[in-house]
Every structure is written in structure tokens, then in C-alpha cells.
């Protein structure tokens, strides 16, 4: 397809989306997505009821994460690799690291945020800070063994003040580095370690206080996420002694007490329901709600296959995820009460997406 034809097709698709009838509700949210079908590029924003639609950036390299939309609804973070990033990418030759951009939710004011590439990011609850993970300070970041992924880069987590640009490293250098802000905005939950053992720590934002909260064992404990009331932490525990590694969802109180495994399915991702009663657990081929107090499990997969990137809708009534069970990768929503599944995307497919807060 020529560049002119592509631009015309893109303009036509955007026009069709923008002409959809719009009936706004107070509890509605928006969805930003990167299409999966060949010939569709950029980031589109649609309403949660599938109406409306707008192309907010036509950047063919744009990549979203489920955490891309800021909690205040004003900004969207995305990865991209533009021509002006070539010098940075040559300097920091690391796998799974990309330049981080941000823009207004309308698509205006697109700018690169940092002068080094990152692998992960999380917003603070007040949208004023970011927690980013990067190996840019790894002394061996340009070593051929790192570039070829023979040795994973040694990453660290950093706090970035979005008003001043100041950044502060909050972990040492290691592997399995993940983190999240507590909903009350006072602490971080961080995983950090090596290929043999990784621990979960709670750290104050000023870095003066830290406490390990996971079980002292040779497990690899990663991806900590806070409960909505900031009292508990869920995480994934991998036992390296078992063949192939056995992973499970775990929950622990923020003071380190009452650690327990939750559910029976192997866990790849875990997140809390907005009411704090259940965990959304994603396994290699399934999706389930696990109620923490009684360990009751509800399968959400239905007739779908390979559910990916599952997240709760902001109101907690549905779980949104991607699946290719009808051919293309599309977005679907499953009602957590009735377990009915509806398809969200139509003309657009979805390789990546994120949700805004409630409008």
C-alpha cells in the first residue's frame, strides 16, 4: 500500500469511528488501543460502550501497556522508537527497553519523557510521579552478551518526579525488578533479586524505611500489587526447584503477616478487584477470579482462548481482555456477575490497550 493510500484509508477509518452515535454516561470510561491487524497503526481511543473513536497518534511504532493511562485521566504513556531516538538506542543497546513518550489524552503535546529507555513503568496515584524500571546504568548495558540476551541486563527501579524531572534510584541492580505504588501514595512494593531468589520489599517514598514481607525461602517472588485499601499485597511466587518452575498467586498483609497461597491455577499475572475481595489471576491459558477469604475460584474464560492483558474495568463490573478466538485479536469484556462475554472491538482490532479512569 502506498503512503498516500494508507493515509486515506486511515482517515476514512477515523471518520467512520468518529461518526458513531455517542451516548455518554457518568460511569463510562475510555479505551486506548493499538490495532493488531496489518495496515492499522497508531493509538486509537474509543468509548467503553464501543461508540465514538479517535486516532490520537499515527505513530507506527507506538506501544501501550495496561498501565499507560494516568489515574487523573489527563495523560497517556506509550513506548515508541522514532528516528530521533536512534542515538539513545545506539548508546543503550538493551533488549526489551524502549524510549518512553507521553501525551495528553486528546493526543496533543506528544514528547519523549526520559533520556534513557525503560522496560516498565507505573503511575503514582496522584499522577505526579512514575516508577520506572531500566538497566541504563548497568555498566555492561552495551556488552554483546547483554545485547544478545545471553545475560539479562541488571535493572533498577527509579522514582521520577514529573514536575521537576528529578529521578531517584530506589533499588540496587538485579533482575526480576517490578514495583507498584500503594493506593494511599505513601509506599512502594518492589520485587528485586536474581535468577535463584527474588524478594518482595515495602519501601517508603523517601527511601528511609524498608521491610521484607514475603516468605524467606529460595522462591522467586515477583510482580507485587497493592490491595485497594493499602493493607495487603498480592504477588506471584515461582518455585525454581520444581521442574519448569511452578508459579502461584500469593497474598500477604502489609506488615508481613498472614502469608498464604491463593487459588490452584498457575499464575502469570495478578491484580486486585476494585472492592479488594478477589484477585484476577491470569494463567497461560485461562482467566479466573479468586476470592481471597474463602479461596473460591470463578472461571472467566468462557469460550475464549489465550486471554491476555486482563484488567478490571474501573467500576469493577467487568474484566477486559484480549483474545484471538474469533480470528483477529479483539477486545472482550466479561461480566463478573453473569459471566456473559461481549466483544468490544469491531473495525479495529487490538494488540495492546489501556483503560482510562471513570469519566
Amino acid at each position: 500500500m502506498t503512503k498516500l493510500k494508507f493515509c486515506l484509508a486511515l482517515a476514512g477509518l477515523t471518520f467512520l469511528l468518529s461518526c458513531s452515535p455517542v451516548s455518554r454516561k457518568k460511569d463510562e470510561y475510555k479505551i486506548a488501543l493499538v490495532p493488531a491487524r496489518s495496515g492499522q497503526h497508531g493509538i486509537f481511543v474509543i468509548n467503553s460502550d464501543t461508540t465514538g473513536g479517535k486516532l490520537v497518534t499515527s505513530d507506527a511504532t507506538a506501544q501501550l501497556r495496561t498501565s499507560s493511562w494516568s489515574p487523573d485521566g489527563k495523560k497517556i504513556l506509550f513506548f515508541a522508537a522514532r528516528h530521533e531516538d536512534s542515538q539513545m538506542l545506539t548508546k543503550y543497546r538493551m533488549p526489551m527497553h524502549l524510549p518512553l513518550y507521553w501525551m495528553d489524552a486528546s493526543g496533543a503535546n506528544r514528547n519523549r519523557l526520559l533520556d534513557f529507555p525503560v522496560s516498565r513503568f507505573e503511575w503514582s496515584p496522584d499522577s505526579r510521579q512514575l516508577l520506572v524500571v531500566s538497566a541504563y546504568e548497568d555498566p555492561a548495558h552495551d556488552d554483546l552478551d547483554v545485547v544478545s540476551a545471553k545475560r539479562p541486563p541488571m535493572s533498577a527501579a527509579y522514582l521520577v518526579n514529573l514536575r521537576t524531572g528529578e529521578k531517584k534510584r530506589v533499588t540496587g541492580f538485579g533482575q526480576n525488578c517490578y514495583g507498584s505504588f500503594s493506593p494511599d501514595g505513601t509506599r512502594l512494593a518492589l520485587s528485586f533479586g536474581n535468577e535463584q531468589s527474588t524478594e518482595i520489599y515495602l519501601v517508603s517514598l523517601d527511601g528511609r524505611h524498608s521491610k521484607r514481607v514475603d516468605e524467606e525461602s529460595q522462591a522467586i517472588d515477583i510482580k507485587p500489587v497493592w490491595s485497594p485499601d493499602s493493607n495487603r499485597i498480592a504477588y506471584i511466587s515461582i518455585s525454581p526447584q520444581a521442574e519448569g518452575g511452578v508459579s502461584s498467586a500469593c497474598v500477604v498483609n502489609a506488615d508481613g503477616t498472614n502469608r498464604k497461597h491463593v487459588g490452584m491455577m498457575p499464575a502469570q499475572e495478578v491484580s486486585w478487584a476494585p472492592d479488594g475481595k478477589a484477585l484476577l489471576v491470569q494463567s497461560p491459558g485461562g482467566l479466573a477470579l479468586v476470592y481471597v477469604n474463602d479461596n473460591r475460584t470463578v472461571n472467566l474464560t468462557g469460550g475464549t482462548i489465550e486471554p491476555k492483558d486482563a484488567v478490571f474495568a474501573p467500576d469493577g463490573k467487568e474484566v477486559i481482555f484480549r483474545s484471538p478466538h474469533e480470528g483477529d485479536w479483539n477486545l472482550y469484556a466479561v461480566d463478573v456477575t453473569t459471566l456473559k462475554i461481549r466483544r468490544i472491538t469491531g473495525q479495529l482490532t487490538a494488540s495492546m490497550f489501556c483503560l482510562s479512569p471513570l469519566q
Side-chain angles (χ1 to χ4, degrees):
M1 180 181 289
T2 67
K3 184 176 181 180
L4 177 59
K5 289 182 178 179
F6 170 73
C7 291
L8 289 173
L10 197 59
L13 180 58
T14 305
F15 174 77
L16 287 173
L17 287 168
S18 64
C19 289
S20 302
V22 178
S23 178
R24 303 295 291 158
K25 300 177 181 178
K26 290 183 179 180
D27 60 348
E28 198 171 73
Y29 57 93
K30 292 187 177 183
I31 303 171
L33 61 87
V34 175
R37 189 177 299 154
S38 177
Q40 295 178 348
H41 300 289
I43 297 176
F44 290 81
V45 172
I46 62 175
N47 297 325
S48 57
D49 62 1
T50 74
T51 62
K54 179 183 179 182
L55 176 68
V56 292
T57 177
S58 59
D59 195 325
T61 65
Q63 297 184 25
L64 291 169
R65 297 294 183 264
T66 53
S67 57
S68 284
W69 214 307
S70 65
D72 64 9
K74 295 179 179 180
K75 294 284 187 178
I76 296 175
L77 289 168
F78 63 99
F79 289 123
R82 299 175 176 175
H83 175 72
E84 57 265 33
D85 301 320
S86 57
Q87 185 175 357
M88 176 204 288
L89 294 174
T90 299
K91 180 179 180 180
Y92 301 111
R93 297 182 298 164
M94 300 173 296
M96 309 302 291
H97 282 63
L98 286 169
L100 184 60
Y101 282 79
W102 66 343
M103 62 182 173
D104 296 343
S106 64
N109 300 316
R110 294 186 293 272
N111 293 289
R112 193 174 74 192
L113 187 59
L114 302 168
D115 59 2
F116 57 90
V118 306
S119 60
R120 303 182 190 97
F121 58 83
E122 295 289 336
W123 287 97
S124 65
D126 61 7
S127 302
R128 296 179 180 180
Q129 296 190 84
L130 283 180
L131 180 68
V132 301
V133 175
S134 178
Y136 86 103
E137 288 188 310
D138 181 352
H141 64 72
D142 59 351
D143 188 285
L144 288 178
D145 282 344
V146 173
V147 175
S148 64
K150 291 181 181 179
R151 176 182 80 76
M154 304 295 282
S155 297
Y158 300 81
L159 272 179
V160 179
N161 187 311
L162 295 174
R163 292 186 171 182
T164 66
E166 177 187 4
K167 59 180 180 290
K168 176 175 64 177
R169 184 161 58 86
V170 292
T171 68
F173 294 95
Q175 297 171 20
N176 302 317
C177 193
Y178 295 85
S180 63
F181 288 88
S182 61
D184 62 15
T186 63
R187 293 171 291 176
L188 298 168
L190 300 165
S191 67
F192 176 77
N194 54 46
E195 292 179 333
Q196 288 74 42
S197 178
T198 299
E199 297 85 35
I200 306 290
Y201 294 89
L202 301 193
V203 181
S204 59
L205 293 189
D206 60 12
R208 295 179 181 178
H209 305 284
S210 66
K211 176 183 176 63
R212 181 176 176 179
V213 295
D214 62 326
E215 187 176 6
E216 294 188 8
S217 66
Q218 289 300 304
I220 298 174
D221 296 335
I222 59 173
K223 301 182 179 181
V225 288
W226 291 84
S227 63
D229 60 7
S230 298
N231 289 332
R232 293 182 291 181
I233 298 189
Y235 60 94
I236 295 172
S237 185
I238 304 170
S239 174
Q241 289 80 19
E243 184 177 353
V246 175
S247 62
S248 60
C250 295
V251 172
V252 62
N253 291 342
D255 62 4
T257 62
N258 196 27
R259 302 183 193 94
K260 61 180 179 180
H261 291 260
V262 177
M264 300 296 292
M265 60 194 297
Q268 287 183 323
E269 304 289 341
V270 62
S271 59
W272 288 91
D275 62 8
K277 296 180 180 179
L279 292 178
L280 177 60
V281 180
Q282 185 169 297
S283 68
L287 194 62
L289 275 184
V290 181
Y291 288 85
V292 176
N293 290 340
D294 60 8
N295 219 20
R296 178 169 55 93
T297 298
V298 177
N299 191 317
L300 300 178
T301 306
T304 61
I305 61 171
E306 297 183 60
K308 301 289 186 184
D309 302 330
V311 292
F312 276 99
D315 60 9
K317 296 177 181 179
E318 294 181 315
V319 169
I320 315 299
F321 62 95
R322 299 187 300 120
S323 172
H325 81 279
E326 292 183 298
D328 291 320
W329 282 93
N330 278 290
L331 284 184
Y332 297 85
V334 54
D335 188 297
V336 297
T337 301
T338 67
L339 304 185
K340 291 183 178 180
I341 296 176
R342 65 182 178 92
R343 194 171 87 177
I344 296 174
T345 48
Q347 296 182 46
L348 286 173
T349 51
S351 64
M352 307 167 188
F353 74 97
C354 64
L355 309 180
S356 78
L358 289 175
Q359 300 297 298

